[in-house]
Amino acid sequence: MPLTGEYAPSTSDWAREQAEKYEATGGAEANDIMGKPIIVLTSVGAKSGLLRKTPLMRVEHDGEYVVVGSLGGAPKNPVWVYNLRNNPHVELQDGEVKQDYTARELSGEEREVWWERAVAAFPQYEEYTKKTDRLIPLFLLTRA
Ligand SMILES: C[C@H](OP(=O)(O)OC[C@@H](O)[C@@H](O)[C@@H](O)Cn1c2nc(=O)[nH]c(=O)c-2cc2ccc(O)cc21)C(=O)N[C@@H](CCC(=O)N[C@@H](CCC(=O)O)C(=O)O)C(=O)O
C-alpha cells in the first residue's frame, strides 16, 4: 500500500534537488554521488506526519536494501532515522521501481554483515566511522 500524504521538501537543498530530479526522471538522472548509485527513501515524519524524501546510497543484496544513517560522520543521527524508528513503513525508489518496504533497525552480527555490504557499496562509510563515536544506524528494508 503506497504511502499517501503531503510531501515536505528537505531543508537540505542538494538532497532535495537530487531526490526530486531522481524521482521525476525515474532514476535516469541525478542517480549517483561520487560515482556510486543512490536510491530515494520516502518516510513519514515522526512529528509532522508529512512525507519526507531522502536520497541515500544504494546498498542492495538479494532484493533487500539497507539504508545507512551516516550523515557524513556527523555527531548526530540524521532526522529520517527517527521517522523510521517511529513508523517502519517506507517506500524505496530504485531506478524506475518504487516499492513499499518495512524497515527494521539492525544490531549485532546481522548489522556487521550488512555493514560490510554498505562499505563495499560506498567505501566512504568506513571513513565516517573515524569522525564520530556514534554507532551509525542501519535499517534493513524488506518487502512489505
Ligand atoms: C536536512 C534534514 O534531513 P535529515 O532527515 O536530517 O537527513 C540528512 C541527510 O541524511 C539527508 O540529507 C541525506 O539525503 C544525505 N545523504 C545521505 N545521508 C545519509 O545519512 N546516508 C547516506 O547514505 C546518504 C547518501 C546521500 C546521497 C545523495 C544525497 O544527495 C544525499 C545523501 C531535513 O530535511 N530536516 C527537516 C526535517 C526532516 C524530518 O524528517 N522531520 C521529521 C521530524 C522527525 C523528528 O525530529 O523526530 C518530521 O517531519 O516529523 C527539517 O529540518 O525541517
Side-chain angles (χ1 to χ4, degrees):
M1 178 74 176
L3 288 172
T4 55
E6 182 190 340
Y7 164 52
S10 170
T11 50
S12 159
D13 289 343
W14 64 291
R16 185 189 69 250
E17 285 160 17
Q18 182 152 24
E20 291 177 354
K21 172 77 86 170
Y22 185 90
E23 189 169 51
T25 62
E29 293 178 37
N31 51 25
D32 77 315
I33 193 161
M34 297 158 75
K36 302 290 184 186
I38 69 152
I39 51 90
V40 171
L41 180 79
T42 301
S43 63
V44 178
K47 291 177 180 157
S48 70
L50 300 171
L51 296 186
R52 301 291 187 167
K53 296 182 190 290
T54 309
L56 298 166
M57 300 322 294
R58 182 182 186 277
V59 181
E60 184 273 344
H61 182 78
D62 284 349
E64 296 182 319
Y65 293 81
V66 125
V67 287
V68 180
S70 51
L71 194 56
K76 290 191 344 178
N77 290 325
V79 175
W80 59 264
V81 163
Y82 305 104
N83 297 347
L84 271 58
R85 287 178 177 168
N86 182 63
N87 180 349
H89 181 190
V90 299
E91 277 177 2
L92 181 142
Q93 179 179 346
D94 184 2
E96 290 186 338
V97 179
K98 183 187 280 192
Q99 293 182 322
D100 290 87
Y101 291 84
T102 301
R104 174 170 60 84
E105 191 161 2
L106 297 181
S107 60
E109 174 62 28
E110 194 181 19
R111 183 186 180 284
E112 288 310 307
V113 168
W114 277 97
W115 176 255
E116 293 310 314
R117 289 174 182 153
V119 171
F122 189 59
Q124 201 69 14
Y125 283 139
E126 200 59 61
E127 296 309 307
Y128 296 160
T129 60
K130 298 172 185 147
K131 292 174 63 180
T132 178
D133 52 15
R134 166 173 69 95
L135 181 67
I136 292 176
L138 262 61
F139 293 84
L140 177 64
L141 305 186
T142 49
R143 289 286 287 126

